[in-house]
Amino acid sequence: MAAYIIVEVDVHNPKEYEDYKKLTTASLSGYNGKFIVRGGATETLEGGWQAKRIVVLEFPNKELAKQWWSSEEYAPAKALRQKNATTKMILVEGV
């Protein structure tokens, strides 16, 4: 069953965040992950959610998604993100 990592990101340092984006892309291939949404324009349809940046990644299953998130390949990118942005991240199984 497909799994999705859904992320809301508030970037504090756009210059260094660009490095994060490059590293993240390279780290996904070994886990069959791909971007579905990567920072496109958002529009609030209900509620008070004022999202800054939304990212959605798709993986074949939740195990691969979790392996990627805790991998050595992603670790340098994760450290950059945590240093340069505030993030909310969830893992959701698809249907």
Side-chain angles (χ1 to χ4, degrees):
M1 176 181 305
Y4 301 88
I5 293 180
I6 302 171
V7 189
E8 181 182 14
V9 184
D10 184 4
V11 178
H12 306 299
N13 186 341
K15 185 172 186 257
E16 287 192 34
Y17 193 80
E18 288 301 314
D19 294 333
Y20 163 76
K21 291 186 336 189
K22 293 173 192 167
L23 290 171
T24 300
T25 300
S27 73
L28 288 169
S29 63
Y31 301 89
N32 297 318
K34 65 180 181 179
F35 288 101
I36 302 299
V37 174
R38 194 171 192 191
T42 63
E43 179 181 346
T44 301
L45 299 178
E46 289 189 31
W49 190 8
Q50 300 301 315
K52 305 263 188 204
R53 176 181 174 82
I54 298 293
V55 177
V56 179
L57 298 112
E58 180 182 50
F59 292 85
N61 55 57
K62 70 178 183 178
E63 289 78 17
L64 279 172
K66 289 165 70 173
Q67 287 173 18
W68 166 77
W69 184 82
S70 61
S71 71
E72 289 181 21
E73 295 89 349
Y74 182 55
K78 185 193 296 186
L80 270 175
R81 176 180 49 77
Q82 291 172 339
K83 177 182 173 189
N84 294 292
T86 302
T87 306
K88 295 177 185 172
M89 184 181 300
I90 59 171
L91 174 61
V92 180
E93 286 187 306
V95 256

